[in-house]
Amino acid sequence: MLHLSEQEIIRRQYLDEFRNLGIDPYPAAMFDVTTLASEIKDGFDIHPDQFKNIRIAGRIMSKRIMGKAAFAEIQDSSGRIQAYINRDLICPNDNKELYNTVFKKLCDIGDFVGLEGYAFRTQTGELSIHVSEFKFLSKSLHPLPIVKTDADGKIHDAFTDPEQRYRKRYVDLIVNPHVKETFIKRSRLINSMRNYFNSKGWLEVETPVLQSIHGGAAARPFKTHHNALDMQLYLRIANELYLKRLIVGGFDGVYEFGKMFRNEGMDRTHNPEFTSMEIYIAYKDYLWMMEMVEDCLQTVVNEVCGSPICSISGKEINFSKPYLRLSMYEAIEKYAGIDVAQSDESTLRNYCRNNRIEIEDNMAWGKLVDTIFSDKVESNLIQPTYIIDYPLEMTPLAKKHRSKEGLVERFELYVNGKEIANAYSELNDPIDQRNRLEEQLNLAARGDEEAMVMDEDFVHALEYGMPPTSGLGIGIDRLTMMITGQEAIQEVLFFPQMKPESKQG
RNA sequence: GAUCUGUUAGCUCAGUCGGUAGAGCAACGGCCUUUUAAGCCGUGGGUCUUGGGUUCGAGUCCCAAACAGAUCACCA
């Protein structure tokens, strides 16, 4: 059922009035745009002669009518510019219908129009388009939120309700220019990173989203079903095991930007589907990878933000290399004051109880260390910091440390108290890998719902031999949050997951 | 999943002690040929998120539900 407001009914009536005048409110023919609003704003004062005969198109965002002349703001993909519309200029003959009826009455805020004319400055100095030709391009049937900015820059009637903004992102993008900026930055970030990898000769690849075994990370998956094969499939929680198969297959460097799906809680830093970038480089180790990551991020942040420094929640984050390196044990000792290397499981349990850190009975030693780290250390890691050398129990896909007993060659990159990257010297000993995955099965038996499952084909691939390899995953959404200063993942996803609006009643 | 807060016109918001709902913008009808949160005169627009309850009477008080936000738990 369509329940229309008064304003929506009137806009529908205008469709008929357009057609009665012989004007198609949704014309088929293209409108040949020559110039963007931003080009006029940037170029007019330097080359005013280049804007003598221009055609622009966009949405009407405001109308100020003064009898036989009017001003309207036109918004195109690049921004807004004012148009000056004079009755006798767009209606040179006796028939003033185009101005009096079409423009003044039938054009609403939100409609698309095409304009031809020249750029000039009004008496008050506002850069405008002096319109000689006026073409109606598309009707909008819903009123838009009217956001106005006054002379002091104060915003009135801002469209700010997060629920409305996320559900109707298209409206958000129309009326909130800064939202568009955030998503443009996101796109440029991904492009910049892709260019960086391509310039090194690494290959962008695609691996399955639908997997019969959900491997490569500790998380609960979404289940789905393939009808023709009559089998259960999972949406991938990671693509790691497939990318390593490609290294086995002989590629030196492969990377993939892709959506991952995890069937877990949602909040301002978690969406059920999110974008990760994983990259695997043969003959390298995690020490090399740290240097690559800091060089890549410095380059990319510089390209996207114009400087290696971005600010979020009042803090300045500097992505210039090199980044501080701290072993996990050092970090815990520094911020929690406990030497976990010298502590057994019961000592860790006592520490957690005394420090009011919530733990569960099925947590093993490694999980307890991880819990203490999350609770005491993470929030202190504001500037980009590598946490290196993790306990073996927590990391079944990483290679044992070359010199430190009980550790693996792994690092995570923390920025603003959040993990944004995770990397290993990848485990390529197939016997060790099989044993480590079997230990995961024990954890699962102990009640760990996120423990990894055995992937026989992956182990089989390793048995053919994988060169020493370093692998990395970066959370693209979180990195985007850092460089755009956003505190919520929903602000860097066009369409964050939402429950359907209830239609009961 | 837990707790707290919110949901009133197209948008942003008021709504007092419980007495059948208001403003600005937007819309509609006028006036106005360089305005800019344009202005002036006039008009219309509401299932107060939904469902129960208390009451002579509920936007307002009570209970439940839906959705969202924040905090927490889980996770990246």
Side-chain angles (χ1 to χ4, degrees):
Chain A
M1 274 307 289
L2 211 51
H3 176 75
L4 296 177
S5 70
E6 180 193 35
Q7 293 190 45
E8 290 164 332
I9 291 166
I10 290 166
R11 285 179 181 228
R12 276 169 162 76
Q13 288 168 352
Y14 286 171
L15 292 177
D16 294 333
E17 297 191 37
F18 269 112
R19 290 177 176 125
N20 292 339
L21 291 169
I23 296 170
D24 183 350
Y26 300 104
M30 64 175 271
F31 182 84
D32 190 15
V33 174
T34 63
T35 312
L36 293 174
S38 61
E39 292 171 343
I40 303 171
K41 286 180 178 172
D42 295 343
F44 180 77
D45 290 324
I46 307 162
H47 302 291
D49 48 309
Q50 287 180 3
F51 301 96
K52 288 213 183 317
N53 186 18
I54 55 176
R55 289 156 72 87
I56 69 156
R59 272 185 205 277
I60 299 173
M61 296 305 287
S62 71
K63 269 167 85 182
R64 294 183 286 276
I65 292 171
M66 280 152 298
K68 298 175 187 66
F71 293 90
E73 281 175 290
I74 305 298
Q75 175 168 293
D76 66 16
S77 64
S78 74
R80 291 187 191 184
I81 190 155
Q82 181 172 268
Y84 171 69
I85 297 166
N86 182 303
R87 187 192 70 179
D88 297 329
L89 284 167
I90 67 166
C91 304
N93 304 320
D94 288 344
N95 181 356
K96 304 300 183 188
E97 204 169 65
L98 181 64
Y99 181 81
N100 287 333
T101 307
V102 175
F103 172 70
K104 268 173 71 176
K105 183 173 178 216
L106 302 183
C107 278
D108 287 307
I109 289 169
D111 292 353
F112 283 90
V113 294
L115 305 174
E116 186 172 337
Y118 62 86
F120 76 113
R121 282 194 187 277
T122 63
Q123 290 177 356
T124 53
E126 180 79 17
L127 190 57
S128 305
I129 297 174
H130 201 271
V131 177
S132 53
E133 298 284 342
F134 178 94
K135 168 83 173 156
F136 192 83
L137 296 179
S138 181
K139 186 71 194 161
S140 167
L141 296 179
H142 297 295
L144 284 172
I146 309 292
V147 182
K148 292 191 176 184
T149 307
D150 66 20
D152 302 327
K154 196 177 165 209
I155 295 170
H156 299 258
D157 301 333
F159 182 63
T160 54
D161 177 18
E163 179 169 2
Q164 291 303 311
R165 289 182 48 236
Y166 302 155
R167 287 190 195 283
K168 296 192 168 72
R169 182 67 91 184
Y170 38 90
V171 175
D172 191 28
L173 288 164
I174 293 166
V175 304
N176 290 325
H178 58 279
V179 173
K180 213 174 190 177
E181 283 305 309
T182 297
F183 287 101
I184 290 171
K185 264 191 173 176
R186 179 182 173 121
S187 177
R188 289 172 57 204
L189 169 80
I190 291 171
N191 267 320
S192 174
M193 199 175 277
R194 179 175 278 133
N195 288 339
Y196 182 92
F197 296 151
N198 288 345
S199 74
K200 305 282 185 189
W202 301 325
L203 186 73
E204 182 165 20
V205 299
E206 292 166 281
T207 63
V209 171
L210 293 174
Q211 304 179 348
S212 54
I213 294 169
H214 58 285
R220 302 207 317 248
F222 285 93
K223 293 175 189 169
T224 186
H225 183 262
H226 190 285
N227 290 342
L229 296 175
D230 188 24
M231 67 182 290
Q232 176 163 281
L233 289 171
Y234 302 93
L235 273 61
R236 67 180 172 192
I237 57 174
N239 50 2
E240 171 159 358
L241 304 188
Y242 283 95
L243 292 171
K244 284 187 199 170
R245 285 170 168 98
L246 297 180
I247 297 295
V248 169
F251 293 107
D252 274 342
V254 290
Y255 70 92
E256 178 175 13
F257 287 92
K259 282 280 184 74
M260 304 300 152
F261 306 85
R262 298 193 182 174
N263 205 342
E264 285 158 354
M266 291 165 55
D267 59 30
R268 71 192 193 295
T269 56
H270 297 86
N271 195 63
E273 57 182 289
F274 64 100
T275 301
S276 89
M277 192 298 302
E278 291 208 27
I279 184 165
Y280 291 80
I281 310 293
Y283 310 113
K284 304 298 186 189
D285 61 13
Y286 80 137
L287 299 171
W288 174 89
M289 184 64 87
M290 279 189 268
E291 290 181 15
M292 191 278 271
V293 169
E294 58 198 14
D295 186 61
C296 175
L297 289 182
Q298 175 181 286
T299 303
V300 162
V301 173
N302 233 320
E303 267 185 41
V304 176
C305 303
S307 128
I309 297 167
C310 22
S311 73
I312 182 163
S313 41
K315 286 166 282 194
E316 293 214 324
I317 311 281
N318 190 339
F319 280 93
S320 301
K321 65 180 180 181
Y323 302 161
L324 181 65
R325 298 181 187 188
L326 218 50
S327 82
M328 180 172 231
Y329 293 173
E330 285 169 349
I332 292 176
E333 182 134 31
K334 179 173 177 185
Y335 293 106
I338 177 171
D339 183 355
V340 292
Q342 304 298 319
S343 308
D344 61 13
E345 190 172 319
S346 68
T347 310
L348 294 182
R349 286 188 181 278
N350 282 331
Y351 175 86
C352 289
R353 281 192 206 98
N354 295 337
N355 287 273
R356 288 190 294 179
I357 299 172
E358 274 189 49
I359 51 171
E360 285 168 32
D361 292 341
N362 61 17
M363 285 180 173
W365 187 86
K367 190 84 179 168
L368 290 169
V369 170
D370 187 42
T371 304
I372 294 169
F373 180 82
S374 301
D375 200 88
K376 291 289 179 189
V377 180
E378 276 188 10
S379 59
N380 295 298
L381 307 175
I382 302 305
Q383 295 304 317
T385 304
Y386 289 125
I387 300 296
I388 66 175
D389 298 343
Y390 282 66
L392 185 139
E393 291 89 334
M394 296 162 53
T395 316
L397 300 171
K399 191 176 272 193
K400 281 175 184 156
H401 199 282
R402 63 194 72 183
S403 61
K404 295 177 186 166
E405 187 68 27
L407 299 181
V408 291
E409 298 205 346
R410 172 185 184 182
F411 72 81
E412 290 192 326
L413 175 60
Y414 281 85
V415 182
N416 196 33
K418 306 247 165 46
E419 180 204 332
I420 66 164
N422 183 16
Y424 317 139
S425 296
E426 300 294 338
L427 178 54
N428 63 344
D429 175 343
I431 312 281
D432 190 5
Q433 181 67 84
R434 179 179 296 280
N435 292 338
R436 302 263 285 275
L437 287 174
E438 277 166 359
E439 283 163 26
Q440 288 290 305
L441 298 179
N442 293 337
L443 285 182
R446 202 170 155 175
D448 187 344
E449 286 186 78
E450 291 157 0
M452 287 187 199
V453 294
M454 177 63 71
D455 185 334
E456 286 291 348
D457 181 72
F458 168 65
V459 177
H460 191 72
L462 290 189
E463 287 168 358
Y464 281 94
M466 182 172 85
T469 297
S470 185
L472 163 82
I474 292 182
I476 294 297
D477 310 286
R478 289 189 174 178
L479 183 57
T480 305
M481 289 164 69
M482 306 289 164
I483 66 164
T484 58
Q486 295 297 336
E487 312 266 4
I489 198 169
Q490 287 78 13
E491 295 290 346
V492 301
L493 300 169
F494 273 127
F495 305 106
Q497 193 58 240
M498 304 281 277
K499 283 196 182 184
E501 274 180 298
S502 70
K503 301 279 189 198
Q504 65 178 26

